[in-house]
Amino acid sequence: MSRRKISSESFSSLGSDCPETSPEEEGECPLSRLCWNGSRSPPGPTDIPFAAAAAASSGARRAPRRRRVNLDSLGESIRRLTAPAPQTIRQTLQKTLQHFEHQVIGYRDAEKNFHNISNRCSYTDCSGNEETEDVSGILQCTANVLGLKFEEMQEKFGEEFFNICFDENERVLRAVGGTLQDFFNGFDALLEHIRTSFGRQATLESPSFLCKELPEGNLMLHYFHPHQIVGFAMTGMIKAAAKKIYRLEVEVEQVTNDKLCSEGTNPGNCSCLTFLIKEHENANTTKALPAGTSQSPLDLRISISTFCRAFPFHLMFDPNMLVLQLGEGLRKQLRCDTHKTLKFHDCFDIVSPKISATFERVLLRLSTPFVIRTKLEDSDSESKDKVMEIKGQMIHVPESNSILFLGSPCVDKLDELMGRGLHLSDIPIHDATRDVILVGEQAKAQDGLKKRMDKLKATLECTHQALEEEKKKTVDLLISIFPEEVAQQLWQGQQVQARKFDDVTMLFSDIVGFTAICAQCTPMQVISMLNELYTRFDHQCGFLDIYKVETIGDAYCVAAGLHKKSLSHAKAIALMALKMMELSEEVLTPDGSPIKMRIGIHSGSVLAGVVGVRMPRYCLFGNNVTLASKFESGSHPRRINVSPTTYQRSQSSSVLYLK
């Protein structure tokens, strides 16, 4: 154990509980401030009950929260025990020192020595700042002041460390194992679960535990690649675990085992700590066998063939790594002769844990889940696809000094099983791998159905989107032919009732000499001329928000105040007439002369309604429609003939040139 002198930096690493030393306090040891919770003097006798009451009320307010017991909570609890955080280490050290502080209260000489501990410890800066040496040095210094054994302080540190973890995860830690041996042997599987959850693999330096029962009934615990603080506190941890969880009083002794040290390391830096655990006599319980149970091997007969069928993915090997027995499933996968002598190295590789394939190394990892991979004689690509991994447990068989491996194939799909030359019947019914494969196939079928449903859903969504676009086109087409209100009624399949409009302004126009123009041109030229002219007119209708009634030949009819109510419908039609005169001069006839228009405008009441089913039209009826047509026929070329009614409605505006 380290005996190095403690530097002031060692105490400053304890955290915010140690305030900075002022110049007048330089002679005071930081350890005393840690013990007295920052005060310069120990608490008086009257302060102790108050502090105890405060601690009790604080504990009552902070009742331990019950955690659910699952793989994640188990793994997290074991991780806290095997890889403690710095905050947990500092808290453990504080609780350890506070436990011994009451032993000096009331003894002035002890108090004086405890406060003047800095005079007995030389503070020097050391290059090694390892936390284990800091904790060891503080406990050693405290033990010297109090006249206690260092081992007692070390053991108390371990107990306090376990108590802190146990108070936070009591229900979880009680679920690890039914006995003290099972408790420590269960650590490796849970640590492996943590590594698997985070996508990490076990390395040669991963911590591992192995607890074996000795012939005399004691336990031997091996702690491989230990964490420094956990290894330092292991003695107290074992005692606290036995007492808290299993109500056992045990004695723990750390022993030296040079055979378990890593190769190439000196004896002082062994990568394995070994502890001998002895139960007190009053705690021993005799396990009686049930009535009628036999201990004779002759009464437990099972043939090799039956065992190989019951456990098709098992194997046994001796200290020379010779395969003594092989399950039918492994033999079928390896395709080897029944009477052929096999070596473990020739048939299998150890994937996890990362250890060499020797009998001694496997014995040291019996509490760790093993994953082995089969080897095939052929090295082609097809054979590589048939390589199979088996996950299971190594069990020591002392009767024959051999190791039994019981495992299950790491497959979750039926295709993977068939690709390795195996069938579903090769997996025993008691093996959960069969259920995993069947559930995987069911999930695969459901996944295929889900994919088809998703594809069908995507197709329906595309079809629905295309349908909506076509609906929009249809509605837009109806709106371009009918007023919007009428178009909506037609789209919804409703019958459109004829309606009377009291005040509408209508415009009729035609082309002067249209018959003569048609006689001099081809039909295509006439169509092209009318399309160019009416396209300009339609654009102007949209700009002025005027409803286009229809076009018949060279006749062009529009109305305002029909599709929506407007107080300035006469003005809008007047502006439309002036613009039509302007636009007609921009379009030339096929012989090169500008088009001449004549326009008639009239205002009054009309009756409007939809006529026909195939190619329906929104037609206007009434005397005022006839009058508007008469005003157009009575007009002159390049002139706008306005009725008196329209003139009265638009006389407030000066947009008309009347003649």
Side-chain angles (χ1 to χ4, degrees):
M1 195 59 63
S2 172
R3 295 293 188 273
R4 74 178 181 88
K5 298 178 181 179
I6 308 174
S7 66
S8 58
E9 294 180 356
S10 302
F11 294 102
S12 64
S13 65
L14 293 175
S16 59
D17 292 325
C18 299
E20 295 184 0
T21 306
S22 58
E24 61 272 10
E25 295 175 340
E26 290 182 355
E28 182 182 355
C29 176
L31 179 61
S32 61
R33 293 199 310 275
L34 178 65
C35 292
W36 311 132
N37 295 326
S39 62
R40 296 192 58 183
S41 60
T46 57
D47 297 336
I48 296 176
F50 176 77
S57 61
S58 175
R61 288 193 302 267
R62 294 193 301 268
R65 182 167 57 92
R66 297 173 64 87
R67 298 185 59 183
R68 297 181 61 185
V69 180
N70 51 39
L71 275 178
D72 292 334
S73 61
L74 283 171
E76 178 64 20
S77 301
I78 301 303
R79 186 193 64 80
R80 291 175 63 88
L81 276 175
T82 57
Q87 181 181 1
T88 305
I89 298 174
R90 291 194 294 269
Q91 185 180 2
T92 303
L93 183 60
Q94 291 175 4
K95 285 183 173 293
T96 304
L97 297 178
Q98 290 171 3
H99 174 78
F100 290 101
E101 87 178 56
H102 301 290
Q103 298 188 17
V104 302
I105 298 176
Y107 299 92
R108 294 183 178 180
D109 294 339
E111 290 182 15
K112 181 178 179 181
N113 292 335
F114 201 78
H115 283 292
N116 295 330
I117 190 173
S118 57
N119 297 329
R120 303 177 61 181
C121 301
S122 300
Y123 295 93
T124 57
D125 293 332
C126 299
S127 57
N129 247 348
E130 298 180 0
E131 202 160 19
T132 307
E133 296 183 358
D134 291 340
V135 173
S136 174
I138 294 174
L139 295 180
Q140 179 66 57
C141 195
T142 307
N144 294 337
V145 172
L146 300 180
L148 300 175
K149 293 183 179 180
F150 173 76
E151 290 75 13
E152 183 180 352
M153 300 285 293
Q154 179 183 359
E155 181 179 315
K156 187 60 182 178
F157 178 84
E159 292 179 1
E160 293 293 346
F161 172 66
F162 183 84
N163 290 338
I164 291 174
C165 298
F166 183 78
D167 291 342
E168 296 178 357
N169 308 282
E170 177 179 352
R171 294 183 66 247
V172 177
L173 291 177
R174 289 186 183 276
V176 174
T179 63
L180 187 62
Q181 180 182 2
D182 296 338
F183 178 77
F184 288 105
N185 282 336
F187 280 18
D188 280 16
L190 297 174
L191 291 173
E192 178 68 20
H193 168 72
I194 295 177
R195 288 190 289 266
T196 304
S197 301
F198 289 94
R200 296 194 295 263
Q201 294 183 350
T203 62
L204 293 175
E205 301 299 326
S206 300
S208 177
F209 294 83
L210 176 62
C211 190
K212 300 186 296 185
E213 185 176 2
L214 301 180
E216 58 271 18
N218 298 328
L219 298 179
M220 183 73 73
L221 175 63
H222 302 292
Y223 182 16
F224 301 95
H225 309 291
H227 185 280
Q228 292 182 353
I229 290 293
V230 178
F232 176 78
M234 201 65 196
T235 302
M237 287 177 57
I238 296 173
K239 287 189 175 182
K243 185 176 182 180
K244 285 273 188 179
I245 302 178
Y246 304 103
R247 302 181 183 276
L248 297 176
E249 296 292 338
V250 297
E251 295 180 0
V252 182
E253 177 185 358
Q254 184 173 353
V255 297
T256 303
N257 194 341
D258 296 335
K259 295 182 180 180
L260 299 181
C261 292
S262 299
E263 299 178 0
T265 59
N266 54 49
N269 191 24
C270 181
S271 61
C272 175
L273 300 178
T274 304
F275 300 89
L276 180 62
I277 307 173
K278 299 179 181 179
E279 294 187 19
H280 290 176
E281 294 181 359
N282 55 1
N284 289 335
T285 56
T286 304
K287 298 180 180 179
L289 293 174
T293 302
S294 173
Q295 293 180 309
S296 174
L298 297 178
D299 296 335
L300 306 175
R301 297 176 181 177
I302 179 173
S303 65
I304 296 178
S305 60
T306 302
F307 192 86
C308 290
R309 287 196 306 270
F311 303 98
F313 297 97
H314 88 279
L315 64 95
M316 294 185 69
F317 54 90
D318 62 6
N320 297 323
M321 302 304 288
L322 292 177
V323 178
L324 304 177
Q325 190 168 300
L326 203 61
E328 290 185 354
L330 288 180
R331 189 176 297 278
K332 185 177 180 180
Q333 214 274 333
L334 292 174
R335 299 178 181 177
C336 58
D337 189 9
T338 307
H339 304 287
K340 183 180 179 180
T341 302
L342 302 175
K343 289 187 176 182
F344 185 90
H345 311 82
D346 298 334
C347 302
F348 305 98
D349 287 327
I350 298 180
V351 179
S352 175
K354 299 293 184 181
I355 61 173
S356 56
T358 63
F359 193 83
E360 292 76 13
R361 291 294 176 183
V362 173
L363 279 178
L364 297 177
R365 293 298 186 98
L366 292 180
S367 61
T368 304
F370 272 76
V371 178
I372 64 175
R373 182 188 296 123
T374 59
K375 288 183 179 180
L376 298 180
E377 296 180 357
D378 300 332
S379 59
D380 53 355
S381 58
E382 295 182 359
S383 299
K384 292 181 180 179
D385 295 336
K386 296 181 179 180
V387 171
M388 183 171 61
E389 292 185 353
I390 303 99
K391 183 176 182 179
Q393 178 184 6
M394 294 287 184
I395 303 173
H396 182 230
V397 184
E399 293 81 3
S400 59
N401 192 23
S402 59
I403 293 179
L404 168 65
F405 174 76
L406 289 177
S408 300
C410 298
V411 293
D412 55 1
K413 298 179 181 178
L414 194 58
D415 295 339
E416 295 179 1
L417 187 68
M418 297 291 292
R420 288 161 175 78
L422 300 174
H423 300 82
L424 195 60
S425 59
D426 294 326
I427 300 178
I429 298 176
H430 63 77
D431 195 338
T433 306
R434 174 183 289 219
D435 296 333
V436 171
I437 295 176
L438 295 177
V439 171
E441 290 300 314
Q442 182 180 2
K444 182 180 177 181
Q446 293 177 351
D447 185 61
L449 178 61
K450 183 178 180 297
K451 288 182 178 179
R452 291 194 298 271
M453 294 296 293
D454 291 341
K455 186 177 180 180
L456 180 60
K457 179 182 177 182
T459 303
L460 290 176
E461 289 178 353
C462 293
T463 305
H464 178 71
Q465 184 177 0
L467 179 60
E468 291 296 328
E469 292 178 357
E470 293 299 325
K471 287 181 179 179
K472 187 176 182 302
K473 292 179 181 180
T474 304
V475 173
D476 292 342
L477 180 61
L478 288 174
I479 292 176
S480 65
I481 300 175
F482 301 97
E484 184 173 357
E485 182 180 355
V486 176
Q488 290 292 342
Q489 293 179 353
L490 290 175
W491 170 250
Q492 296 173 2
Q494 300 177 2
Q495 185 177 2
V496 181
Q497 300 291 336
R499 180 181 175 186
K500 180 182 180 182
F501 296 89
D502 295 330
D503 198 4
V504 176
T505 301
M506 295 159 286
L507 180 150
F508 283 84
S509 69
D510 66 352
I511 299 175
V512 180
F514 180 72
T515 304
I517 294 174
C518 293
Q520 300 175 1
C521 307
T522 63
M524 293 302 299
Q525 290 176 329
V526 175
I527 293 175
S528 177
M529 177 188 69
L530 293 177
N531 182 59
E532 183 179 359
L533 179 64
Y534 291 163
T535 300
R536 295 170 186 249
F537 290 173
D538 292 344
H539 176 73
Q540 194 62 29
C541 283
F543 180 75
L544 295 174
D545 197 13
I546 293 174
Y547 176 68
K548 176 184 175 182
V549 180
E550 62 179 351
T551 57
I552 302 176
D554 63 329
Y556 191 87
C557 178
V558 296
L562 183 68
H563 65 298
K564 61 173 60 177
K565 291 184 178 181
S566 175
L567 299 177
S568 59
H569 54 85
K571 177 181 176 181
I573 290 295
L575 291 175
M576 181 66 185
L578 293 174
K579 196 63 179 178
M580 289 174 63
M581 285 295 182
E582 179 184 345
L583 294 174
S584 62
E585 295 179 356
E586 299 177 0
V587 181
L588 303 178
T589 61
D591 59 359
S593 59
I595 295 178
K596 298 179 182 180
M597 299 288 297
R598 60 178 173 218
I599 299 175
I601 302 175
H602 178 61
S603 300
S605 61
V606 297
L607 183 68
V610 178
V611 178
V613 178
R614 296 181 62 85
M615 298 181 65
R617 292 289 185 269
Y618 193 66
C619 300
L620 306 181
F621 302 94
N623 293 331
N624 291 315
V625 178
T626 304
L627 289 175
S629 177
K630 294 296 184 180
F631 275 103
E632 176 269 324
S633 60
S635 182
H636 299 282
R638 297 185 184 277
R639 292 293 183 268
I640 303 172
N641 193 6
V642 182
S643 70
T645 306
T646 304
Y647 176 77
Q648 292 176 1
R649 286 172 171 75
S650 60
Q651 62 181 353
S652 60
S653 176
S654 59
V655 298
L656 296 180
Y657 172 70
L658 303 177
K659 185 176 179 180

